[in-house]
Coordinates of all heavy atoms in Angstrom, one line a residue:
V1405 N 3.9 1.5 -1.2 CA 4.5 1.7 -2.6 C 3.5 2.1 -3.5 O 3.7 3.1 -4.3 CB 5.1 0.4 -3.0 CG1 5.5 0.6 -4.5 CG2 6.2 -0.1 -2.0
I1411 N 2.6 -0.1 -8.3 CA 2.9 -1.6 -8.2 C 2.5 -2.2 -9.5 O 2.3 -3.4 -9.6 CB 2.1 -2.2 -7.1 CG1 0.6 -1.8 -7.2 CG2 2.5 -1.7 -5.7 CD1 -0.3 -2.5 -6.3
G1413 N 3.5 -3.1 -13.6 CA 4.6 -3.1 -14.5 C 4.4 -2.1 -15.7 O 5.3 -1.4 -16.3
A1414 N 3.1 -1.8 -16.0 CA 2.8 -1.0 -17.1 C 3.1 0.5 -16.8 O 3.3 1.4 -17.7 CB 1.3 -1.0 -17.5
E1415 N 3.2 0.7 -15.5 CA 3.4 2.2 -15.1 C 4.8 2.4 -14.6 O 5.5 3.4 -15.1 CB 2.4 2.5 -13.9 CG 2.2 3.9 -13.7 CD 1.1 4.1 -12.7 OE1 0.9 3.3 -11.8 OE2 0.4 5.2 -12.8
Q1419 N 10.2 -3.4 -11.8 CA 10.7 -3.1 -10.4 C 9.5 -2.8 -9.5 O 9.5 -3.1 -8.4 CB 11.5 -1.7 -10.5 CG 10.9 -0.6 -11.1 CD 11.5 0.7 -10.9 OE1 12.7 0.9 -10.3 NE2 11.0 1.7 -11.3
G1423 N 9.7 -6.1 -7.9 CA 10.4 -5.4 -6.8 C 9.6 -5.1 -5.5 O 10.0 -5.3 -4.4
L1433 N 9.2 -11.8 6.0 CA 10.2 -12.8 6.6 C 10.9 -12.3 7.9 O 11.0 -13.0 8.9 CB 11.3 -13.1 5.6 CG 10.8 -14.1 4.5 CD1 11.9 -14.2 3.4 CD2 10.5 -15.5 5.1
T1440 N 11.9 -6.0 14.4 CA 11.2 -4.7 14.6 C 10.7 -4.0 13.4 O 11.1 -4.4 12.3 CB 12.1 -3.6 15.4 OG1 13.0 -3.3 14.3 CG2 12.8 -4.3 16.6
P1441 N 9.7 -3.2 13.6 CA 9.2 -2.5 12.3 C 10.3 -1.7 11.5 O 10.3 -1.8 10.3 CB 8.1 -1.4 13.0 CG 7.7 -2.0 14.2 CD 8.9 -2.8 14.7
A1442 N 11.2 -1.3 12.2 CA 12.4 -0.5 11.6 C 13.2 -1.7 10.7 O 13.6 -1.4 9.6 CB 13.3 0.1 12.6
A1449 N 13.8 -2.2 2.0 CA 14.7 -1.2 1.3 C 15.7 -2.0 0.6 O 16.0 -1.8 -0.6 CB 15.3 -0.2 2.3
L1455 N 16.4 -4.2 -7.0 CA 15.7 -4.5 -8.3 C 15.3 -3.2 -8.9 O 14.5 -3.2 -9.9 CB 14.5 -5.3 -7.9 CG 14.7 -6.8 -7.5 CD1 13.4 -7.5 -7.1 CD2 15.3 -7.5 -8.7
L1456 N 15.7 -2.0 -8.5 CA 15.5 -0.9 -9.1 C 15.9 -0.8 -10.6 O 17.0 -1.3 -10.8 CB 16.2 0.4 -8.3 CG 15.7 0.8 -7.1 CD1 16.4 2.0 -6.5 CD2 14.1 1.3 -7.2
A1464 N 5.1 -13.7 -24.7 CA 4.1 -14.9 -24.7 C 3.0 -14.6 -23.8 O 2.6 -15.5 -23.0 CB 4.8 -16.1 -24.5
P1470 N 9.7 -13.3 -19.2 CA 10.5 -14.0 -18.2 C 10.0 -14.1 -16.7 O 10.7 -14.5 -15.8 CB 11.8 -13.2 -18.2 CG 11.2 -11.8 -18.4 CD 10.1 -11.8 -19.2
C1471 N 8.7 -13.6 -16.6 CA 8.2 -13.4 -15.3 C 8.2 -14.4 -14.3 O 8.6 -14.3 -13.2 CB 6.8 -12.9 -15.5 SG 6.5 -11.7 -16.8
R1474 N 11.7 -15.1 -13.1 CA 12.2 -13.9 -12.6 C 11.6 -13.8 -11.1 O 12.2 -13.3 -10.2 CB 11.7 -12.6 -13.3 CG 12.2 -11.3 -12.9 CD 11.8 -10.2 -13.8 NE 12.5 -10.1 -14.9 CZ 12.3 -9.3 -16.0 NH1 11.3 -8.4 -15.9 NH2 13.0 -9.2 -17.0
F1477 N 13.7 -15.9 -8.8 CA 15.0 -15.2 -8.5 C 14.6 -14.1 -7.3 O 15.4 -13.9 -6.4 CB 15.6 -14.5 -9.6 CG 16.3 -15.5 -10.5 CD1 15.8 -15.7 -11.8 CD2 17.5 -16.2 -10.0 CE1 16.5 -16.7 -12.6 CE2 18.2 -17.1 -10.9 CZ 17.6 -17.3 -12.1
V1480 N 14.6 -15.6 -3.8 CA 15.9 -15.7 -3.3 C 16.4 -14.5 -2.8 O 17.0 -14.3 -1.6 CB 16.9 -16.3 -4.3 CG1 18.3 -16.4 -3.7 CG2 16.5 -17.8 -4.7
A1482 N 14.7 -11.8 -1.8 CA 13.9 -11.3 -0.5 C 14.5 -12.1 0.7 O 14.6 -11.5 1.8 CB 12.5 -11.7 -0.6
L1484 N 17.5 -13.3 1.1 CA 18.8 -12.7 1.4 C 18.7 -11.4 2.1 O 19.5 -11.1 3.1 CB 19.6 -12.6 0.1 CG 21.0 -12.2 0.3 CD1 21.8 -13.1 1.2 CD2 21.7 -12.0 -1.1
V1502 N 14.0 4.9 -1.0 CA 14.1 3.9 -2.0 C 12.8 3.9 -2.9 O 12.9 3.9 -4.1 CB 14.4 2.5 -1.5 CG1 14.3 1.4 -2.6 CG2 15.7 2.5 -0.8
I1509 N 12.4 6.5 -11.3 CA 12.9 5.6 -12.2 C 11.9 5.0 -13.1 O 12.0 5.0 -14.3 CB 13.8 4.5 -11.6 CG1 15.0 5.0 -10.9 CG2 14.2 3.4 -12.6 CD1 15.7 4.1 -9.9
R1511 N 9.0 6.5 -13.9 CA 8.5 7.5 -14.8 C 9.5 7.8 -15.9 O 9.3 8.2 -17.0 CB 8.2 8.8 -14.0 CG 7.1 8.7 -13.1 CD 6.9 9.9 -12.3 NE 5.8 9.7 -11.3 CZ 4.5 9.7 -11.5 NH1 4.1 9.9 -12.8 NH2 3.6 9.4 -10.6
L1513 N 11.4 5.5 -17.4 CA 11.6 4.4 -18.3 C 10.8 4.6 -19.6 O 9.7 5.2 -19.5 CB 11.0 3.1 -17.6 CG 11.8 2.4 -16.6 CD1 11.0 1.2 -15.9 CD2 13.1 1.9 -17.1
L1517 N 9.7 -0.2 -22.4 CA 10.1 -1.1 -21.2 C 9.1 -1.1 -20.1 O 9.3 -1.4 -19.0 CB 11.5 -0.6 -20.8 CG 12.6 -0.6 -21.7 CD1 13.9 0.1 -21.2 CD2 12.9 -2.0 -22.2
E1519 N 5.7 -3.0 -20.0 CA 4.6 -3.8 -20.4 C 4.1 -3.8 -21.8 O 2.9 -4.1 -22.0 CB 3.6 -3.8 -19.4 CG 2.8 -5.1 -19.0 CD 2.0 -5.1 -17.9 OE1 1.1 -3.9 -17.7 OE2 1.9 -6.0 -17.1
D1526 N 12.5 -8.7 -25.7 CA 11.7 -8.7 -26.9 C 12.6 -8.0 -28.1 O 12.3 -8.3 -29.2 CB 10.4 -8.0 -26.8 CG 9.3 -8.9 -26.5 OD1 9.5 -10.2 -26.7 OD2 8.3 -8.4 -26.0

Side-chain angles (χ1 to χ4, degrees):
V1405 176
I1411 55 172
E1415 201 171 31
Q1419 59 169 4
L1433 287 168
T1440 65
L1455 291 174
L1456 283 181
C1471 320
R1474 184 177 282 181
F1477 285 110
V1480 174
L1484 184 56
V1502 171
I1509 293 166
R1511 292 178 189 282
L1513 285 174
L1517 300 176
E1519 212 170 41
D1526 268 340

